[in-house]
Amino acid sequence: MANEVRSQVNIKLISTIRPIDGESESQEMWLTGQLLEKAGSMYLKYEEVQEDKTIRTTMKLGHERALIMRAGAVNMRLPLNIIEQQVGHYESEFGSMPLVIDTKKMTFTKQVVSGDFHVQYDLLMGGQSVGNYTLDITFTEVQ
């Protein structure tokens, strides 16, 4: 297997959704996960439980491009690219929907034992914006 550096991390995740037709909603989660460095890329992996269902999330972190993949109760592929819109998809028990992601801002900083990832994007379905999404993630290695 390729050189792989793996470490346990504590994750603080703040997700804010500003729907086009409704109230802004924020959710804060404290999770444990893994930070993986593989082939020059950084990956953050964690699991969350919503309504007794597990969702496994893998994020490929970057400065201009990133990718959020979720599997389990929700299946989603959300490519983020600061330069151009990307096409992804969302699947749930109600069916599959194509998504267009228009990334507005993205920053990623990695220190020796911690890091931050911030992204702001608009989500479009059927050519219409459904809202503005912000993810703020801070992770710290477990010592």
Side-chain angles (χ1 to χ4, degrees):
M1 185 170 262
N3 286 355
E4 194 177 279
V5 179
R6 189 182 291 252
S7 51
Q8 292 294 114
V9 289
N10 290 321
I11 302 164
K12 179 184 177 185
L13 185 146
I14 301 171
S15 171
T16 305
I17 302 170
R18 290 176 199 80
I20 293 302
D21 55 356
E23 294 288 314
S24 181
E25 186 182 310
S26 275
Q27 183 179 19
E28 183 174 307
M29 288 188 278
W30 293 84
L31 306 158
T32 56
Q34 293 185 326
L35 184 67
L36 208 66
E37 191 170 350
K38 186 175 173 180
S41 295
M42 299 297 294
Y43 297 87
L44 190 62
K45 298 174 95 167
Y46 59 88
E47 286 187 358
E48 59 186 278
V49 177
Q50 291 183 4
E51 298 164 6
D52 294 331
K53 293 181 180 155
T54 301
I55 302 168
R56 292 177 312 283
T57 301
T58 302
M59 299 178 71
K60 183 177 182 180
L61 305 174
H63 301 280
E64 291 182 345
R65 291 172 173 261
L67 177 63
I68 301 171
M69 294 173 292
R70 302 179 88 192
V74 167
N75 289 302
M76 180 179 80
R77 186 174 191 282
L78 204 68
L80 302 162
N81 185 328
I82 199 76
I83 297 161
E84 60 186 10
Q85 289 185 349
Q86 298 289 295
V87 176
H89 72 271
Y90 178 90
E91 289 175 35
S92 70
E93 68 255 29
F94 306 113
S96 180
M97 291 178 284
L99 306 170
V100 174
I101 304 98
D102 186 4
T103 308
K104 302 296 186 186
K105 261 199 282 194
M106 187 178 339
T107 59
F108 172 52
T109 54
K110 168 77 174 80
Q111 287 82 33
V112 176
V113 295
S114 65
D116 294 287
F117 178 73
H118 171 84
V119 65
Q120 186 178 350
Y121 59 93
D122 286 342
L123 206 53
L124 296 93
M125 286 184 204
Q128 300 293 311
S129 176
V130 294
N132 179 267
Y133 292 70
T134 304
L135 271 182
D136 283 300
I137 298 172
T138 305
F139 55 89
T140 308
E141 276 187 40
V142 177
Q143 298 298 317

